[in-house]
Amino acid sequence: MIPFTDEELMNPVKTAIDKIRPSLALDGGDIDFITVKNANVYVQLKGACIGCASSGNTLKYGVERQLKMDIHPELVVINVPAGMENDIDNL
């Protein structure tokens, strides 16, 4: 169980994502932070990351790994497809 509220996780998650952003930019990609809900971190890959065959690995072994190291090992990252930003409850 994660000992933080979703609100408490917001700023640390944003900070960790900002660490990852330059790596994605090297390959023409980017990432937007959407929200944290029930310890799930919702992000949206942008640029060259959209549709990239390695995007799943980027989320799991890049973004999620960084968040687990920096914040808590039980965090999960979920990519939000374009157009679903306001409907994450249905992912």
Side-chain angles (χ1 to χ4, degrees), residues 9-71:
L9 288 169
M10 291 283 193
N11 284 333
V13 166
K14 288 177 186 177
T15 299
I17 286 175
D18 284 342
K19 282 185 184 177
I20 299 159
R21 187 169 273 119
S23 313
L24 297 175
L26 289 174
D27 293 325
D30 198 5
I31 187 169
D32 283 344
F33 169 70
I34 306 292
T35 193
V36 177
K37 188 169 184 178
N38 301 321
N40 291 322
V41 177
Y42 293 88
V43 299
Q44 189 172 67
L45 294 174
K46 299 282 193 177
C49 292
I50 297 172
C52 173
S54 297
S55 63
N57 287 334
T58 297
L59 283 175
K60 186 76 175 166
Y61 301 110
V63 179
E64 190 170 275
R65 181 175 166 263
Q66 188 70 49
L67 292 174
K68 287 181 178 200
M69 288 186 329
D70 289 358
I71 303 168

